[in-house]
Amino acid sequence: MTIKIYGVAGATCTQRVLATLIEKGVTDWVLEPVNLMAGEQKQPAYLAKQPFGVIPVLEDGDFRVFESRAISYYIAAKYANQGPKLIPDVTDIKETALFHQWYSVEKDNFDHYASPLADQLVFGVMRGNEPDPKLVEFFKSGLAPKLDIFDGILAKQAYMAGNEFSLIDIHYYPYMTKLIQGGNGDMINDRPNIKAWWEKISAREAWKKALAMGSPKK
């Protein structure tokens, strides 16, 4: 059964899912484009799949799941026996608890600031809006001390959830990329352990391929 991903290849949350599919070597899937500019995500047919009207959504036969992190977890679990191991064995309760710890850390201490910062400096600009300097400073000043903590964590472990690449690292891909795109690469480069980690994970072929899928065709 072919997995269907409803989303947009260049959209941040869809990119998490695409990177996970590619990392796991899944080939039996298709991207069903959602026309965000036309408001397709707010139409009844799409709202029946995702009541909040956002992307992405996964359908696998009669199973449906939305939210990019949940979708990526499903993919990593379904294809646990192929590609790199991205999540712990659910029978290992200690490792699973730590996985969820780092899962929450990314959402609460990185995405919480990086996502609205990207909205100001990248997405808003794409919509023709000028960034609000006060909001930019608010989100940057909130993110900076968190990044200092991340830098300390990465001084003790190679990846965000330990010493092995995992799904948690994939969660960071889109908005780390948007930090750079929005002109804040110094927030990465000025912290040596974050810089080393980012250079390592952003060089992975799966992320390069996921990014390429969303790049304008020349």
Side-chain angles (χ1 to χ4, degrees):
M1 183 71 68
T2 299
I3 288 177
K4 294 182 180 180
I5 304 295
Y6 295 86
V8 175
T12 51
C13 293
T14 306
Q15 288 174 331
R16 284 194 188 102
V17 174
L18 299 181
T20 306
L21 285 164
I22 298 167
E23 279 284 359
K24 296 302 289 183
V26 182
T27 57
D28 193 13
W29 62 274
V30 63
L31 180 65
E32 299 282 358
V34 178
N35 191 336
L36 302 182
M37 297 299 291
E40 182 183 350
Q41 75 278 18
K42 303 299 183 183
Q43 298 304 309
Y46 188 82
L47 291 172
K49 305 178 190 298
Q50 217 290 13
F52 298 99
V54 293
I55 57 173
V57 172
L58 174 148
E59 287 183 344
D60 186 7
D62 60 0
F63 176 72
R64 178 184 297 145
V65 60
F66 55 83
E67 291 294 331
S68 63
R69 293 170 183 81
I71 294 170
S72 296
Y73 187 92
Y74 173 76
I75 294 164
K78 177 172 181 175
Y79 298 97
N81 294 326
Q82 67 185 62
K85 185 177 182 180
L86 298 178
I87 57 174
D89 189 324
V90 293
T91 60
D92 188 332
I93 60 172
K94 292 181 180 178
E95 287 300 317
T96 298
L98 288 172
F99 175 88
H100 286 289
Q101 168 189 285
W102 295 115
Y103 177 106
S104 297
V105 163
E106 182 269 332
K107 285 201 71 175
D108 296 342
N109 297 282
F110 178 73
D111 188 85
H112 182 74
Y113 302 98
S115 176
L117 184 58
D119 192 56
Q120 285 292 313
L121 295 175
V122 181
F123 304 125
V125 173
M126 290 169 62
R127 294 191 294 266
N129 300 327
E130 287 291 325
D132 183 325
K134 291 183 178 178
L135 285 176
V136 170
E137 179 56 30
F138 176 80
F139 293 121
K140 285 184 68 174
S141 63
L143 179 59
K146 303 294 186 180
L147 290 176
D148 290 339
I149 296 171
F150 282 121
D151 199 55
I153 290 168
L154 290 168
K156 301 172 184 176
Q157 59 192 49
Y159 295 94
M160 282 297 186
N163 285 315
E164 300 293 334
F165 179 81
S166 76
L167 190 61
I168 303 302
D169 298 292
I170 290 175
H171 289 176
Y172 286 86
Y173 272 141
Y175 286 106
M176 286 290 290
T177 301
K178 295 305 176 191
L179 272 182
I180 298 168
Q181 190 177 342
N184 288 295
D186 59 303
M187 298 187 82
I188 298 169
N189 294 328
D190 290 349
R191 295 168 173 86
N193 300 308
I194 292 179
K195 182 175 184 288
W197 162 79
W198 178 244
E199 288 176 347
K200 185 165 46 183
I201 71 163
S202 62
R204 293 179 73 92
E205 286 302 312
W207 180 237
K208 291 179 182 179
K209 289 177 181 178
L211 277 180
M213 289 182 68
S215 298
K217 301 294 186 292
K218 295 182 179 180

